[in-house]
């Protein structure tokens, strides 16, 4: 179902979605109240929900929609303003699954490919996740053994390409050295997961290391994300700035539209931002961040891959473990989408695959051990 007070936007999104043979738009309505009523007449799996609407706006409609169907996957749609970025992150904390920047430029309103690809990809992925968890579709990955995850495999498993592993997950030995830097990659469902992991790290006593985060988000949204991390996790968080020194105890968020990497200048470690081509269809992307960090920090690098679509982080994670560093991934049951962490887990590069509730304490133990 498409929900937007603009008939032009509703028409555009509906045409894009209907053009894909795997998607049917069962309803297209102009405000949240009508959307809630429409659930009684239509079998809806995914909703693209505008934020600013008359009668009932998206943030008000969100809990009403989820009350009627807790398994709905809702994508918030908003223009790229600070206010709407703030509202979108609030919506994610209240149960929305993802967000998409609303088309504004004439190119996008004319059916720009970037917007169309992103919209279709998110709708299909979240629809598939809903069906899997309702037992209506095959899982994304083959079943795994009942061996407790988090137990090191002996010997360390060779890395394989994501999705090719047919047997149980193989885990590498846990790290033996305390990391000098912690890197986190996330996408769909990532903001909620980040707040949980970082909040748990703070609750356990905090860590002295710098933390670098690449979350797939557009500009403006990453500004608000850093502010939310500062408030919710009680950590000092900010968007990374090109050329600034990497300091312990600071959280750096990759700004939307830029890859954030690290560079060494003598004994100093600095951030560098670039607008190299997108990787894994994303900028910022996790892989370039991890490649740069592996060169500088080697075995003293700890990487966390959280919920998200696609496989960003798996190739960079392979570079990390080849350099002696370690990777931990979020498990399937607690991920909104087990794409990124699943690809890392299936590639055999992880030392642990853990529920979201255990990742913060795991990172804290490794980061503070003597």
């Amino acid at each position: 179902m498409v929900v937007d007070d603009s008939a032009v936007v509703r028409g555009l999104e509906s045409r894009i979605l209907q053009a894909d043979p795997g998607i049917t738009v069962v309803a297209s309505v102009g405000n949240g109240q009508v959307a809630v009523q429409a659930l009684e007449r239509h079998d809806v799996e995914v909703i693209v929900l505008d934020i600013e609407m008359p009668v009932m706006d998206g943030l008000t409609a969100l809990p009403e929609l989820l009350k009627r169907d807790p398994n709905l996957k809702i994508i918030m749609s908003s223009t790229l303003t600070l206010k709407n970025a703030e509202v979108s992150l609030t919506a994610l904390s209240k149960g929305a699954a993802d967000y998409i920047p609303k088309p504004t430029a004439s190119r996008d309103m004319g059916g720009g490919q970037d917007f169309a690809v992103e919209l279709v990809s998110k709708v299909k992925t979240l629809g598939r996740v809903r069906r899997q968890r309702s037992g209506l579709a095959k899982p994304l990955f083959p079943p795994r053994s009942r061996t407790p995850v988090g137990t090191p495999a002996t010997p360390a498993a060779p890395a394989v390409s994501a999705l090719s592993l047919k047997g149980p997950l193989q885990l590498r030995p846990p790290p033996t050295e305390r990391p000098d830097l912690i890197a986190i990659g996330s996408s769909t469902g990532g903001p909620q997961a980040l707040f949980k992991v970082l909040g748990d790290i703070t609750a356990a006593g905090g860590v002295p290391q710098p933390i670098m985060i690449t979350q797939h988000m557009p500009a403006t949204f990453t500004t608000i994300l850093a502010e939310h991390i500062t408030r919710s996790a009680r950590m000092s968080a900010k968007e990374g700035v090109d050329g600034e020194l990497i300091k312990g105890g600071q959280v750096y968020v990759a700004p939307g539209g830029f890859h954030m990497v690290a560079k060494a200048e003598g004994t100093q470690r600095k951030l560098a931002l670039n607008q190299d081509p997108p990787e894994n269809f994303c900028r910022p992307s996790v892989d370039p961040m991890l490649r740069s960090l592996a060169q500088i920090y080697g075995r003293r690098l700890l990487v966390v891959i959280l919920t998200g679509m696609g496989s960003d982080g798996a190739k960079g994670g392979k570079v990390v473990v080849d350099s002696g560093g370690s990777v931990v991934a979020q498990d399937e049951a607690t991920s909104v989408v087990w794409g990124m962490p699943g690809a890392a887990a299936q590639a055999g590069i992880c030392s642990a695959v853990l529920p979201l509730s255990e990742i913060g304490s795991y990172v804290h133990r490794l980061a503070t051990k003597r």
Side-chain angles (χ1 to χ4, degrees):
M1 176 162 59
V2 173
V3 187
D4 199 294
D5 63 324
S6 166
V8 174
V9 173
R10 287 202 309 274
L12 170 65
E13 292 179 348
S14 296
R15 287 193 300 275
I16 290 170
L17 293 170
Q18 289 278 50
D20 189 289
I23 300 173
T24 300
V25 178
V26 297
S28 175
V29 302
N31 66 66
Q33 182 173 302
V34 180
V36 172
Q37 296 167 348
L39 284 185
E40 299 174 2
R41 303 189 302 274
H42 301 285
D43 180 15
V44 179
E45 295 173 321
V46 180
I47 297 177
V48 182
L49 181 63
D50 186 19
I51 287 177
E52 296 179 309
M53 296 179 289
V55 185
M56 183 184 288
D57 62 29
L59 195 59
T60 304
L62 176 65
E64 295 298 319
L65 293 164
L66 291 173
K67 185 190 303 181
R68 283 160 176 76
D69 184 353
N71 294 318
L72 273 175
K73 299 300 179 185
I74 298 178
I75 302 170
M76 305 305 295
S77 171
S78 72
T79 51
L80 291 176
T81 65
L82 286 171
K83 176 186 174 184
N84 284 336
E86 182 78 45
V87 173
S88 295
L89 283 176
T90 299
L92 292 174
S93 71
K94 294 181 180 297
D98 207 347
Y99 50 84
I100 188 167
K102 203 170 180 178
T104 51
S106 58
R107 182 176 62 86
D108 279 345
M109 292 302 290
Q113 275 302 106
D114 289 347
F115 174 74
V117 168
E118 185 176 5
L119 178 64
V120 169
S121 174
K122 289 187 174 185
V123 167
K124 293 184 79 169
T125 298
L126 290 171
R128 187 166 67 245
V129 168
R130 175 191 161 106
R131 289 186 167 214
Q132 287 163 358
R133 293 181 179 175
S134 301
L136 299 176
K138 294 179 180 179
L140 285 170
F141 299 98
R144 299 176 305 284
S145 76
R146 296 180 181 273
T147 303
V149 292
T151 305
T154 305
V160 295
S161 61
L163 311 187
S164 69
L165 195 62
K166 299 302 182 184
L169 288 181
Q170 297 295 309
L171 296 170
R172 302 177 67 87
T176 57
E177 297 189 53
R178 189 168 71 170
D180 287 339
L181 185 140
I182 299 161
I184 304 177
S186 53
S187 183
T188 309
Q192 311 96 299
L194 285 168
F195 301 150
K196 173 62 175 170
V197 169
L198 297 174
D200 286 349
I201 290 174
T202 298
V207 294
Q209 293 89 343
I211 299 175
M212 288 177 59
I213 296 172
T214 290
Q215 158 72 39
H216 296 166
M217 267 186 166
T220 308
F221 276 63
T222 49
T223 304
I224 301 299
L225 176 64
E227 293 176 1
H228 273 244
I229 289 172
T230 298
R231 293 200 302 267
S232 68
R234 302 187 303 283
M235 288 183 171
S236 175
K238 62 192 290 290
E239 284 186 307
V241 175
D242 188 57
E244 74 175 304
L245 285 173
I246 298 174
K247 298 179 180 179
Q250 178 68 48
V251 177
Y252 302 95
V253 177
F258 292 85
H259 296 306
M260 183 173 70
V261 299
K263 61 182 180 180
E265 292 185 359
T267 59
Q268 294 184 329
R269 307 291 184 260
K270 295 183 177 181
L271 294 181
L273 304 181
N274 68 66
Q275 290 189 304
D276 290 347
E279 295 191 29
N280 305 295
F281 308 101
C282 300
R283 192 175 61 212
S285 173
V286 180
D287 279 340
M289 176 180 73
L290 298 187
R291 290 195 303 268
S292 72
L293 291 173
Q295 290 181 353
I296 297 172
Y297 292 93
R299 68 183 186 277
R300 291 186 174 274
L301 174 62
L302 175 62
V303 174
V304 180
I305 304 295
L306 299 175
T307 174
M309 290 194 303
S311 60
D312 194 17
K315 290 181 179 178
K318 172 65 163 57
V319 176
V320 169
V321 299
D322 285 348
S323 300
S326 299
V327 177
V328 57
Q330 186 175 350
D331 73 356
E332 185 172 12
T334 62
S335 295
V336 174
V337 178
W338 205 57
M340 286 169 50
Q346 293 283 1
I349 62 173
C350 296
S351 297
V353 179
L354 302 170
L356 183 62
S357 62
E358 297 179 19
I359 293 176
S361 58
Y362 178 87
V363 169
H364 180 266
R365 285 196 304 274
L366 294 179
T368 58
K369 69 180 181 179
R370 298 293 179 184

